[in-house]
Coordinates of all heavy atoms in Angstrom, one line a residue:
Chain A
N27 N 38.5 -39.3 -38.2 CA 38.4 -40.1 -36.9 C 39.8 -40.2 -36.4 O 40.7 -40.6 -37.0 CB 37.8 -41.4 -37.2 CG 36.3 -41.5 -37.4 OD1 35.8 -42.4 -37.9 ND2 35.6 -40.4 -36.9
V28 N 39.8 -39.8 -35.1 CA 41.2 -39.6 -34.5 C 41.9 -40.9 -34.3 O 43.1 -41.0 -34.1 CB 41.2 -38.8 -33.2 CG1 40.7 -37.4 -33.4 CG2 40.2 -39.5 -32.1
W29 N 41.2 -42.1 -34.3 CA 41.8 -43.3 -34.1 C 42.4 -43.9 -35.5 O 42.9 -44.9 -35.4 CB 40.8 -44.3 -33.5 CG 39.5 -44.4 -34.1 CD1 39.3 -45.2 -35.2 CD2 38.4 -43.7 -33.8 NE1 37.9 -45.0 -35.5 CE2 37.4 -44.1 -34.7 CE3 38.1 -42.7 -32.8 CZ2 36.1 -43.5 -34.7 CZ3 36.8 -42.2 -32.8 CH2 35.8 -42.6 -33.7
Q30 N 42.1 -43.2 -36.5 CA 42.6 -43.6 -37.8 C 43.8 -42.9 -38.1 O 44.1 -41.9 -37.6 CB 41.6 -43.3 -39.0 CG 40.2 -43.9 -38.8 CD 40.1 -45.4 -39.1 OE1 41.2 -45.9 -39.4 NE2 39.0 -46.0 -39.1
G31 N 44.7 -43.5 -39.1 CA 45.8 -42.8 -39.5 C 47.0 -42.9 -38.6 O 46.9 -43.7 -37.6
P32 N 48.0 -42.2 -38.8 CA 49.2 -42.3 -38.0 C 48.9 -41.9 -36.5 O 48.2 -41.0 -36.2 CB 50.2 -41.2 -38.5 CG 49.6 -40.8 -39.8 CD 48.2 -41.1 -39.8
Q33 N 49.4 -42.6 -35.6 CA 49.3 -42.4 -34.2 C 50.5 -42.1 -33.5 O 51.6 -42.6 -33.9 CB 48.7 -43.7 -33.5 CG 47.3 -44.2 -34.1 CD 46.2 -43.3 -33.7 OE1 46.1 -42.9 -32.6 NE2 45.4 -42.8 -34.7
P34 N 50.5 -41.3 -32.5 CA 51.7 -40.9 -31.7 C 52.4 -42.2 -31.2 O 51.7 -43.0 -30.7 CB 51.2 -40.0 -30.6 CG 49.8 -39.6 -31.0 CD 49.2 -40.7 -31.9
A35 N 53.7 -42.2 -31.3 CA 54.4 -43.3 -30.8 C 54.2 -43.6 -29.4 O 54.3 -42.6 -28.6 CB 55.9 -43.2 -31.1
G36 N 53.9 -44.8 -29.0 CA 53.7 -45.1 -27.6 C 52.3 -44.8 -27.0 O 52.0 -45.1 -25.9
R37 N 51.6 -43.9 -27.7 CA 50.2 -43.6 -27.1 C 49.1 -43.5 -28.2 O 48.7 -42.4 -28.5 CB 50.3 -42.3 -26.2 CG 50.9 -41.1 -26.9 CD 50.8 -39.9 -25.9 NE 51.0 -38.6 -26.7 CZ 50.1 -37.9 -27.3 NH1 48.8 -38.3 -27.3 NH2 50.4 -36.9 -28.0
P38 N 48.9 -44.6 -28.8 CA 47.9 -44.5 -29.8 C 46.5 -44.3 -29.1 O 46.3 -44.6 -27.9 CB 47.9 -46.0 -30.4 CG 48.4 -46.8 -29.3 CD 49.5 -46.0 -28.5
Y39 N 45.6 -43.8 -30.0 CA 44.3 -43.5 -29.3 C 43.6 -44.8 -28.9 O 43.7 -45.8 -29.6 CB 43.4 -42.8 -30.4 CG 42.2 -42.2 -29.8 CD1 42.2 -40.9 -29.3 CD2 41.0 -42.9 -29.7 CE1 41.1 -40.3 -28.6 CE2 39.9 -42.3 -29.1 CZ 40.0 -41.1 -28.5 OH 38.9 -40.6 -27.8
P40 N 43.0 -44.7 -27.7 CA 42.3 -46.0 -27.1 C 41.3 -46.5 -28.1 O 40.5 -45.8 -28.7 CB 41.7 -45.5 -25.9 CG 42.3 -44.2 -25.5 CD 42.8 -43.6 -26.9
R41 N 41.3 -47.8 -28.3 CA 40.3 -48.5 -29.2 C 39.4 -49.4 -28.4 O 39.8 -50.0 -27.4 CB 41.0 -49.3 -30.2 CG 42.0 -48.6 -31.1 CD 41.3 -47.6 -32.0 NE 40.4 -48.2 -32.9 CZ 40.7 -48.4 -34.2 NH1 41.9 -48.1 -34.7 NH2 39.9 -49.0 -35.0
G42 N 38.2 -49.6 -28.9 CA 37.2 -50.5 -28.4 C 35.9 -49.9 -28.1 O 35.7 -48.7 -28.4
E43 N 35.0 -50.7 -27.6 CA 33.7 -50.2 -27.3 C 33.0 -51.1 -26.2 O 33.4 -52.3 -26.0 CB 32.8 -50.2 -28.4 CG 32.5 -51.5 -29.2 CD 31.8 -51.4 -30.5 OE1 32.4 -50.7 -31.3 OE2 30.8 -52.0 -30.8
F44 N 32.1 -50.5 -25.4 CA 31.5 -51.3 -24.3 C 30.3 -52.1 -24.9 O 29.8 -51.8 -26.0 CB 31.0 -50.3 -23.3 CG 32.0 -49.6 -22.5 CD1 31.9 -48.2 -22.3 CD2 33.1 -50.2 -22.0 CE1 32.9 -47.6 -21.6 CE2 34.1 -49.6 -21.3 CZ 34.0 -48.2 -21.1
D45 N 29.8 -53.0 -24.0 CA 28.6 -53.7 -24.4 C 27.4 -52.7 -24.2 O 27.6 -51.6 -23.7 CB 28.4 -55.0 -23.6 CG 28.3 -54.8 -22.0 OD1 28.1 -53.6 -21.6 OD2 28.5 -55.7 -21.3
T46 N 26.2 -53.2 -24.5 CA 25.0 -52.3 -24.5 C 24.8 -51.7 -23.0 O 24.6 -50.5 -22.9 CB 23.8 -53.2 -24.9 OG1 24.0 -53.7 -26.1 CG2 22.6 -52.2 -25.0
A47 N 24.8 -52.6 -22.0 CA 24.5 -52.1 -20.7 C 25.5 -51.0 -20.3 O 25.0 -50.0 -19.7 CB 24.6 -53.3 -19.7
R48 N 26.8 -51.2 -20.5 CA 27.7 -50.3 -20.1 C 27.7 -49.0 -20.9 O 27.8 -47.9 -20.4 CB 29.2 -50.9 -20.2 CG 30.2 -50.0 -19.5 CD 30.9 -50.9 -18.4 NE 32.2 -50.2 -18.0 CZ 32.2 -49.4 -16.9 NH1 31.1 -49.2 -16.2 NH2 33.4 -48.8 -16.6
T49 N 27.3 -49.2 -22.2 CA 27.1 -48.0 -23.1 C 26.0 -47.2 -22.6 O 26.2 -45.9 -22.5 CB 26.9 -48.5 -24.5 OG1 28.1 -49.2 -24.9 CG2 26.7 -47.3 -25.4
L50 N 24.9 -47.8 -22.2 CA 23.8 -47.0 -21.8 C 24.1 -46.4 -20.5 O 23.7 -45.2 -20.2 CB 22.5 -47.9 -21.7 CG 22.0 -48.5 -23.0 CD1 20.7 -49.2 -22.8 CD2 21.9 -47.4 -24.1
S51 N 24.9 -47.0 -19.6 CA 25.2 -46.4 -18.3 C 26.1 -45.2 -18.5 O 26.1 -44.1 -17.9 CB 25.7 -47.4 -17.3 OG 27.1 -47.5 -17.4
L52 N 27.0 -45.3 -19.6 CA 27.8 -44.2 -19.9 C 27.0 -43.0 -20.4 O 27.2 -41.8 -19.9 CB 28.8 -44.6 -21.0 CG 29.7 -43.4 -21.7 CD1 30.7 -42.9 -20.5 CD2 30.5 -44.0 -22.9
L53 N 26.0 -43.2 -21.3 CA 25.2 -42.2 -21.8 C 24.3 -41.6 -20.7 O 24.2 -40.4 -20.6 CB 24.2 -42.7 -22.8 CG 24.7 -42.6 -24.3 CD1 23.7 -43.2 -25.2 CD2 24.9 -41.2 -24.7
A54 N 23.8 -42.5 -19.8 CA 23.0 -42.0 -18.7 C 23.9 -41.0 -17.8 O 23.3 -40.0 -17.4 CB 22.5 -43.2 -17.9
K55 N 25.1 -41.4 -17.5 CA 25.9 -40.5 -16.7 C 26.1 -39.2 -17.4 O 26.0 -38.1 -16.7 CB 27.3 -41.3 -16.5 CG 28.2 -40.5 -15.4 CD 29.3 -41.4 -14.9 CE 30.1 -40.7 -13.8 NZ 30.7 -39.4 -14.1
A56 N 26.4 -39.3 -18.7 CA 26.7 -38.0 -19.4 C 25.4 -37.1 -19.3 O 25.5 -35.9 -19.1 CB 27.0 -38.3 -20.8
L57 N 24.2 -37.7 -19.6 CA 23.0 -36.9 -19.6 C 22.5 -36.5 -18.3 O 21.8 -35.4 -18.1 CB 21.9 -37.6 -20.4 CG 22.2 -37.9 -21.9 CD1 21.1 -38.8 -22.5 CD2 22.3 -36.6 -22.6
D58 N 22.9 -37.3 -17.2 CA 22.6 -36.9 -15.9 C 23.5 -35.7 -15.4 O 23.0 -34.9 -14.6 CB 22.8 -38.0 -14.9 CG 21.8 -39.1 -14.9 OD1 20.7 -38.8 -15.5 OD2 22.0 -40.2 -14.5
E59 N 24.7 -35.7 -15.9 CA 25.6 -34.7 -15.4 C 25.7 -33.4 -16.3 O 26.4 -32.5 -16.0 CB 27.0 -35.3 -15.4 CG 27.0 -36.4 -14.3 CD 28.4 -37.0 -14.1 OE1 29.3 -36.7 -14.9 OE2 28.6 -37.7 -13.2
C60 N 24.9 -33.4 -17.4 CA 24.9 -32.1 -18.1 C 23.5 -31.9 -18.7 O 22.8 -32.9 -18.8 CB 26.0 -32.0 -19.2 SG 25.7 -33.2 -20.5
D61 N 23.1 -30.7 -18.9 CA 21.9 -30.4 -19.5 C 22.0 -30.2 -21.0 O 22.5 -29.2 -21.5 CB 21.4 -28.9 -18.8 CG 20.1 -28.5 -19.4 OD1 19.5 -29.3 -20.2 OD2 19.7 -27.4 -19.1
C62 N 21.6 -31.3 -21.7 CA 22.0 -31.4 -23.1 C 20.7 -32.0 -23.8 O 20.3 -33.1 -23.6 CB 23.1 -32.4 -23.3 SG 23.5 -32.7 -25.0

Side-chain angles (χ1 to χ4, degrees):
Chain A
N27 282 159
V28 293
W29 51 86
Q30 302 284 5
Q33 299 292 310
R37 53 174 195 91
Y39 193 84
R41 301 293 298 260
E43 63 192 53
F44 293 135
D45 62 15
T46 307
R48 191 124 169 94
T49 297
L50 295 185
S51 92
L52 174 65
L53 266 178
K55 187 168 189 293
L57 294 173
D58 286 344
E59 292 182 352
C60 67
D61 177 4
C62 174

